[in-house]
Amino acid sequence: DPAQRLSLLEDPNARFVSHALAVSLARPRGELEQATNRLRELLEPPGVQGLVLLKFRAIELWESIPVDLGDHVRTLAAIALADLGADFAPPPDLEAVVKRIAGAPLDGLPAWVADMRKKNALVPLLDRIEDDCRRLLGVPAHLRWPSVAGAAR
């Protein structure tokens, strides 16, 4: 649900934010248009977006774990802004972060994202970023979720 994904961008749980961004980016361009201000906020160095909370099965027990997904969130936010053609002033360290997480140049990012969409390479990139988030959380590779596009892998 697009409205639910947009609301998750405000969540303090970095895992919810990163997954909502990846799923929204896997959809046709434009789902995140209403969130450009929040996307710009997410570009800043990790703060609350570095927090990860896990819910254990059906038990309402939330546990904070020391995993920082802030760079993943920042990279996905930069990709989303570039995909929308929205202007943003990148923090000084963002170029290195986007290069490390996505292998993308910050200069010319909108054209790079458009090319990735055209070549059907954006969803595999989003899957790789999602897999890296799960790896950081300690989720074994055999327990990977389906592709963010909904296809089985």
Side-chain angles (χ1 to χ4, degrees), residues 8 13 32 37 39 79 94 96 104 126:
L8 286 174
N13 187 333
L32 294 167
N37 288 337
L39 292 171
I79 290 171
L94 188 64
L126 298 171

Side-chain angles (χ1 to χ4, degrees), residues 12-15 46-52 65-71 73:
N13 187 333
R15 185 63 196 124
V48 294
Q49 69 264 32
L51 174 68
V52 174
I65 59 172
V67 173
D68 186 0
L69 300 179
D71 285 351
V73 170

